[in-house]
């Protein structure tokens, strides 16, 4: 039987594993190629996880958003380009998505005006930046919806006795 962790500031990886009441040994069995020792090193932050390990953990722990967490917090490229997504209910995701679509619908003519000549002039930069931010919100909503759907599929697989 594995030891129970008494660490106060647990990493997200450890929190996800423990949420399923998995020991490191049991988690390792679910992931085939990651040993319990390797899981301990990742959780104790003595070693950085590899992308394929994160994908395996996300699947084994039924937490697809672990990959977003890794990309937005650990990967040097992701820290610059990937926003961290927060887990939300489906209704909140859909409402944000619809609000973003509405906002962009209101801005589409301005976007055409700005970009028709292939240049963004100084007096167009503020409007273009506002529209770009709306597009980023939509992108985040689409990603949040994808994670929500994947999480539902993983739950269904787990309930049906599949991994």
């Amino acid at each position: 039987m594995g030891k129970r962790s008494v660490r106060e500031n647990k990493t997200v990886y450890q929190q996800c594993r423990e949420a399923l009441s998995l020991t490191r040994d049991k988690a390792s069995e679910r992931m085939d190629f990651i040993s319990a020792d390797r899981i301990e090193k990742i959780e104790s932050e003595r070693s950085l996880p590899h992308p394929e390990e994160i994908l395996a953990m996300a699947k084994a722990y039924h937490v697809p958003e672990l990959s977003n967490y890794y990309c937005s917090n650990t990967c040097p490229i992701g820290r610059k380009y990937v926003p961290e997504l927060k887990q939300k209910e489906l209704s909140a995701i859909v409402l944000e998505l619809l609000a973003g679509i509405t906002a962009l619908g209101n801005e589409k003519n301005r976007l055409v005006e700005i970009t028709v000549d292939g240049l963004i002039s100084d007096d167009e930069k503020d409007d273009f930046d506002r529209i770009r931010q709306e597009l980023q919100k939509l992108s985040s909503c689409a990603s949040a919806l994808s994670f929500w759907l994947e999480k539902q599929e993983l739950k269904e697989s787990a309930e049906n006795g599949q991994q």
Side-chain angles (χ1 to χ4, degrees):
M1 181 95 182
K3 299 181 287 184
R4 184 169 267 332
S5 172
V6 293
R7 181 181 174 159
E8 287 184 30
N9 296 322
K10 297 179 181 182
T11 64
V12 67
Y13 310 114
Q14 184 173 357
Q15 291 170 11
C16 290
R17 177 181 56 77
E18 289 181 351
L20 291 176
S21 299
L22 292 174
T23 64
R24 290 185 182 110
D25 288 329
K26 290 291 182 191
S28 176
E29 289 173 16
R30 285 186 174 201
M31 293 183 274
D32 295 331
F33 68 94
I34 305 175
S35 69
D37 288 340
R38 177 74 180 139
I39 293 170
E40 194 277 326
K41 286 178 182 174
I42 293 168
E43 290 179 355
S44 66
E45 298 178 311
R46 289 187 290 139
S47 183
L48 288 176
H50 301 289
E52 61 275 4
E53 292 170 327
I54 296 302
L55 290 172
M57 286 180 186
K59 184 176 180 184
Y61 302 161
H62 312 296
V63 184
E65 58 270 23
L66 267 182
S67 55
N68 171 262
Y69 175 85
Y70 170 82
C71 290
S72 61
N73 289 280
T74 304
C75 172
I77 297 169
R79 282 196 313 259
K80 181 171 177 151
Y81 296 106
V82 178
E84 184 174 354
L85 301 175
K86 301 298 180 193
Q87 185 174 345
K88 298 177 186 174
E89 294 296 322
L90 179 60
S91 57
I93 297 168
V94 170
L95 288 173
E96 285 181 34
L97 191 58
L98 292 174
I101 290 169
T102 300
L104 279 176
N106 296 337
E107 297 283 3
K108 80 176 176 186
N109 290 338
R110 181 63 180 138
L111 183 59
V112 170
E113 290 170 6
I114 292 170
T115 59
V116 71
D117 62 359
L119 302 171
I120 301 173
S121 62
D122 288 341
D123 64 318
E124 296 170 328
K125 285 183 181 176
D126 287 343
D127 289 346
F128 186 79
D129 192 51
R130 185 182 66 252
I131 294 168
R132 182 188 55 78
Q133 289 174 8
E134 285 298 325
L135 286 168
Q136 286 177 327
K137 286 180 194 176
L138 267 181
S139 177
S140 291
C141 284
S143 294
L145 184 58
S146 292
F147 282 128
W148 187 91
L149 288 168
E150 188 175 343
K151 190 167 197 131
Q152 296 309 306
E153 291 169 355
L154 287 171
K155 281 182 184 178
E156 288 175 17
S157 291
E159 289 169 2
N160 293 332
Q162 304 169 3
Q163 285 264 36

